[in-house]
Amino acid sequence: MEPSFLLLSPLPNWRGAGAEFAPNFGIRRLTQSELGLVGSGEDGGYCLYYEFDNPYAKDLARHRKRLQAAFRLLLHAVYAIQVMVPCGWTGVFLLCRRQGEQWIREATERRQPLLATDWGQKCIVPATFAAEAPALLERIVDAFLKPVLRLQIPIWLLEQGMAAPDQHIRILLCATGLDSLTKASGQTVFRERLCNLLGAESLIFPPDAAGKQPCYRVTDIAGHLYELRNEMAHGLPFQAIYHKKQGFLDVDGEALAPECAKYRYDKVLEECAVFLLCRALREVLLSRLIFDIHMLEWRGTAGS
């Protein structure tokens, strides 16, 4: 039997290829018939899709629960996509019902859109996306099913951070997400634990399609990010370094684009905060890691 329902969610900033999380579930280009369902107000490129069956009568509670489960699964897939590459999301779910050989648009659900940073709209999708994304989604689904608050909270903070239109609120929320993962008690400890997790000299950002690579490394940014987060959280005046125009630079010390030359350092840290939280979540979820406050080290967990 063919699936009776289809959920679609446009991904206008997606720069990768199609990918499959499971049969009838993944990322693909919108078909010609689906372009009409999405409407002219949405981008006609790639979308997140899920085809599923719902054999229960519309007036039954089981029918509603099946739809709720489908919407929830798609939202968790959105989380997994953003953790792999924070490209943003429209916040739109389109529910379609099969009628003969066609899909008929039945309902629309809207959540707060997730706003990609400037580099999030330009960077490439990791080559490992197709291999890692299904496992990452499985870990996220598991974290919300059990539930595992130590994983839910930083995922929610990423969601709220990416939804925030203000760069300082975004820094505050994403840095707090990193703090919850590292269980840090100060700037030095935060920097040390984040460097141990991700590699002190590792680059924070992926390159773009042209090969341009932002120069920022975990060890150079972590301490400043924690310090700025604390200044915002406690209502303290920002230090002069965060107001200074330094530009958003590549590995050769040149601005990544003409408009990037005018970036203040707090704008650079906004980009860093989002990508660092995504990298940390990806590492923690895929490697099943937790920071053990008794052993003072990252260790694997048998389950979540």
Side-chain angles (χ1 to χ4, degrees):
M1 180 182 293
E2 291 185 320
S4 54
F5 285 90
L6 168 66
L7 265 176
L8 294 173
S9 189
L11 296 170
N13 296 326
W14 181 252
R15 292 180 174 273
E20 192 174 74
F21 295 117
N24 298 319
F25 178 31
I27 298 171
R28 60 168 167 76
R29 284 193 179 276
L30 289 160
T31 66
Q32 281 300 118
S33 61
E34 289 165 356
L35 287 173
L37 296 171
V38 170
S40 58
E42 305 291 354
D43 189 274
Y46 281 89
C47 69
L48 182 61
Y49 77 98
Y50 177 39
E51 297 181 9
F52 62 99
D53 198 26
N54 191 347
Y56 306 109
K58 196 171 183 178
D59 58 340
L60 294 180
R62 287 184 175 183
H63 180 91
R64 293 191 297 274
K65 288 181 178 179
R66 180 71 186 95
L67 291 182
Q68 289 169 358
F71 277 99
R72 187 164 54 248
L73 180 61
L74 218 65
L75 177 62
H76 292 163
V78 169
Y79 292 159
I81 291 168
Q82 302 308 313
V83 167
M84 291 292 291
V85 53
C87 59
W89 174 55
T90 59
V92 177
F93 289 126
L94 306 173
L95 177 65
C96 306
R97 176 174 48 83
R98 186 180 294 279
Q99 189 174 82
E101 297 299 317
Q102 295 182 320
W103 292 110
I104 305 299
R105 186 166 170 170
E106 184 162 283
T108 302
E109 181 176 305
R110 293 182 181 272
R111 295 177 61 93
Q112 55 188 356
L114 304 183
L115 309 175
T117 66
D118 291 347
W119 198 250
Q121 297 180 61
K122 297 175 182 177
C123 68
I124 62 171
V125 174
T128 57
F129 183 90
E132 293 183 358
L136 187 62
L137 174 59
E138 181 183 340
R139 305 283 195 276
I140 291 172
V141 169
D142 193 51
F144 281 87
L145 182 64
K146 285 188 174 179
V148 184
L149 275 176
R150 66 173 178 82
L151 296 175
Q152 287 179 312
I153 288 171
I155 292 171
W156 281 329
L157 285 167
L158 174 64
E159 179 183 23
Q160 295 304 315
M162 291 189 67
D166 180 83
Q167 71 181 42
H168 296 112
I169 297 300
R170 181 174 291 200
I171 293 170
L172 178 64
L173 293 169
C174 290
T176 302
L178 286 165
D179 200 14
S180 74
L181 289 170
T182 58
K183 303 178 184 177
S185 56
Q187 181 177 335
T188 301
V189 174
F190 176 83
R191 179 175 174 272
E192 179 182 283
R193 292 178 185 176
L194 198 56
C195 286
N196 287 341
L197 177 66
L198 301 177
E201 297 299 324
S202 65
L203 292 164
I204 294 171
F205 300 96
D208 67 6
K212 292 183 178 179
Q213 173 72 64
C215 66
Y216 307 94
R217 299 179 187 275
V218 177
T219 188
D220 302 322
I221 294 297
H224 287 162
L225 181 60
Y226 189 90
E227 183 176 62
L228 181 57
R229 192 288 301 262
N230 277 2
E231 290 176 357
M232 288 188 288
H234 298 291
L236 301 173
F238 295 176
Q239 294 187 45
I241 186 176
Y242 302 119
H243 295 289
K244 186 178 180 181
K245 287 185 180 179
Q246 296 188 355
F248 190 42
L249 308 177
D250 64 17
V251 290
D252 295 320
E254 302 293 330
L256 285 154
E259 63 272 16
C260 295
K262 299 179 180 179
Y263 276 27
R264 296 192 335 179
Y265 191 39
D266 54 358
K267 173 63 177 174
V268 173
L269 288 179
E270 175 204 359
E271 296 275 349
C272 292
V274 174
F275 276 84
L276 276 172
L277 180 52
C278 290
R279 280 198 58 196
L281 278 168
R282 179 179 172 186
E283 188 67 27
V284 166
L285 287 163
L286 288 176
S287 300
R288 297 183 183 271
L289 295 177
I290 185 174
F291 190 83
D292 190 319
I293 58 174
H294 301 294
M295 300 296 293
L296 296 179
E297 64 182 13
W298 293 98
R299 65 169 176 82
T301 59
S304 60

